[in-house]
């Protein structure tokens, strides 16, 4: 039976609930102070389950931040409901005194663009600290798939099952948009957490999943697993560089440019951190400076690498620009994105739909 080799990230996922934040060697640097953060207890909300990638990155950042500011202490609160949308709702009306920050999935960009139920936030108003990584999203087939490549998947009339966490996550939207644009019949099956998604495709429970690189490199190295579509233009292992790129397949159809842009923004904005809208500018400046100084620590990058993540940061200002760009013309593009999503769902459900394909 195929199985994913247990990585350091998976091992730490099993122990994250027990190790908490304490126990990290503390040592304050003398060359920089963060007066608005000294002797503070701060809530870090994580819009994902304990032990997942967002949780581990958040806890790692918190531990290293504590070493740089005297008396700074984080209390971690995992708010898992609605794929991070509940945490986003709490942050939207959260305190502006620097006592709360959030990390969660960039799928919130798609959620806000679509105006899905439960969106009670505006990412354009958030006070951004920065982001840690980029992740290349890859459509991956497992050993139980009854097709060999994207061409064969597009030719199928029967739906092909795909493991997803929820119906409000980035890979759920990507699957249905892929259906609408390329004529596939990918059937997302919700209810799988991150490692469970991988195991489901390996054991033949589903045919497909979307995983990310480099965080999902261990899955990509497993026999019987292959990449059939690159969802965005991020880096991939050399052996997968010849796989089709979503943007190339729709290059002659400019109407689909908003979907391409969303795929790219979601990939680039991975592991982001924000404070509530209207956070006091002086306090936000301290948070942004602390974020930048923390990610510059060689020890922080080494810890991130041990979790199988690769540092690819943005400052708060840069991240705000990315988010604003992704949400530009939101009202104009919403109807198109929703109708395309609905058509992709119809194909997933086995119905006949053209979805304006050419």
């Amino acid at each position: 039976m195929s199985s994913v080799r247990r990585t350091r990230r998976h091992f730490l996922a099993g122990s994250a609930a027990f190790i908490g934040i304490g126990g990290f060697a503390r040592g304050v640097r003398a060359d920089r102070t963060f007066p608005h953060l000294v002797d503070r207890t701060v809530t870090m909300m994580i819009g994902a389950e304990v032990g997942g990638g967002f949780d581990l990155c958040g806890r790692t950042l918190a531990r290293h931040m504590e070493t740089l500011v005297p008396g700074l202490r984080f209390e971690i609160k995992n708010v898992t409901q609605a794929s991070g949308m509940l945490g986003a709702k709490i942050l939207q009306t959260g305190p502006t005194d620097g006592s709360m920050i959030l990390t969660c999935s960039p799928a919130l960009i798609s959620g806000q663009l679509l105006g899905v139920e439960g969106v009670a936030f505006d990412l354009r108003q958030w006070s951004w600290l920065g982001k840690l990584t980029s992740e290349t999203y890859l459509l991956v087939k497992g050993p139980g798939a009854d097709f060999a490549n994207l061409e064969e998947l597009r030719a199928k009339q029967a739906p092909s099952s795909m493991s997803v966490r929820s119906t409000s996550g980035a890979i759920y939207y990507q699957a249905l948009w892929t259906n609408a644009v390329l004529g596939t019949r990918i059937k997302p099956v919700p209810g799988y957490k991150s490692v469970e998604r991988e195991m489901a495709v390996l054991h033949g429970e589903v045919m497909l999943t979307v995983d990310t690189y480099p965080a999902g490199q261990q899955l990509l190295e497993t026999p019987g697993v292959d990449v059939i579509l690159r969802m965005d233009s991020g880096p991939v292992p050399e052996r997968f560089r010849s796989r089709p790129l979503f943007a190339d397949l729709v290059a002659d159809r400019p109407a689909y440019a908003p979907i391409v842009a969303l795929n790219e923004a979601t990939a680039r904005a991975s592991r982001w951190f924000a404070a509530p809208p209207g956070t006091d500018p002086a306090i936000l400046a301290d948070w942004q400076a602390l974020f930048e100084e923390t990610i510059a620590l060689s020890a922080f990058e080494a810890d991130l690498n041990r979790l199988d993540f690769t540092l690819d940061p943005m400052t708060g200002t840069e991240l705000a620009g990315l988010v604003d760009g992704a949400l530009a013309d939101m009202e104009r593009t919403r109807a198109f994105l929703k109708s395309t999503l609905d058509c992709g769902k119809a194909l997933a459900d086995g119905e006949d739909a053209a979805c304006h394909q050419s």
Side-chain angles (χ1 to χ4, degrees), residues 144-195:
D146 59 1
F147 50 88
N149 51 43
L150 179 63
E151 183 178 358
E152 292 185 9
L153 176 63
R154 296 178 75 174
K156 284 186 61 179
Q157 292 302 306
S160 300
S161 56
M162 186 181 99
S163 55
V164 300
R165 188 184 189 280
S166 73
T167 58
S168 57
I171 68 174
Y172 176 81
Y173 300 136
Q174 287 179 343
L176 298 185
W177 278 322
T178 299
N179 287 347
V181 174
L182 302 182
T184 54
R185 293 179 179 272
I186 301 169
K187 177 71 172 178
V189 181
Y192 296 92
K193 297 179 182 179
S194 55
V195 177

Side-chain angles (χ1 to χ4, degrees), residues 77-129:
K77 182 177 181 181
N78 293 83
V79 184
T80 61
Q81 297 90 332
S83 297
M85 286 198 292
L86 178 58
K89 178 181 179 180
I90 295 170
L91 188 81
Q92 183 69 30
T93 57
T96 59
D97 61 356
S99 62
M100 174 184 289
I101 61 175
L102 168 72
T103 183
C104 60
S105 169
L108 296 184
I109 298 175
S110 296
Q112 183 170 342
L113 271 171
L114 290 165
V116 300
E117 183 179 358
V119 170
F121 53 85
D122 187 344
L123 299 173
R124 297 168 297 184
Q125 298 174 0
W126 285 11
S127 303
W128 294 102
L129 278 61

Side-chain angles (χ1 to χ4, degrees), residues 21 64 85 233 260 275 321 345:
I21 291 300
H64 284 277
M85 286 198 292
S233 61
V260 173
K345 188 176 186 303

Side-chain angles (χ1 to χ4, degrees), residues 24-70:
F24 197 87
R26 301 180 62 85
V28 178
R29 291 175 55 162
D31 59 340
R32 183 65 186 258
T33 61
F34 307 93
H36 298 94
L37 305 179
V38 172
D39 294 326
R40 298 289 302 273
T41 297
V42 174
T43 298
M44 177 184 285
M45 290 192 298
I46 299 176
E49 65 271 8
V50 173
F54 293 102
D55 180 74
L56 293 172
C57 284
R59 290 172 187 269
T60 301
L61 183 73
R63 290 198 301 268
H64 284 277
M65 282 183 165
E66 287 181 341
T67 70
L68 297 177
V69 183

Side-chain angles (χ1 to χ4, degrees), residues 282-302:
I283 298 174
L284 178 59
D286 268 7
W287 270 125
Q288 291 174 334
L290 177 59
F291 183 88
E292 293 178 31
E293 187 157 332
T294 303
I295 64 175
L297 296 173
S298 59
F300 172 76
E301 184 170 6

Side-chain angles (χ1 to χ4, degrees), residues 237-255:
E238 183 175 359
R239 66 187 180 280
F240 299 131
R241 290 176 188 169
S242 63
R243 301 302 188 268
L245 175 65
F246 184 91
D248 289 345
L249 297 176
V250 299
D252 60 342
R253 290 181 281 171

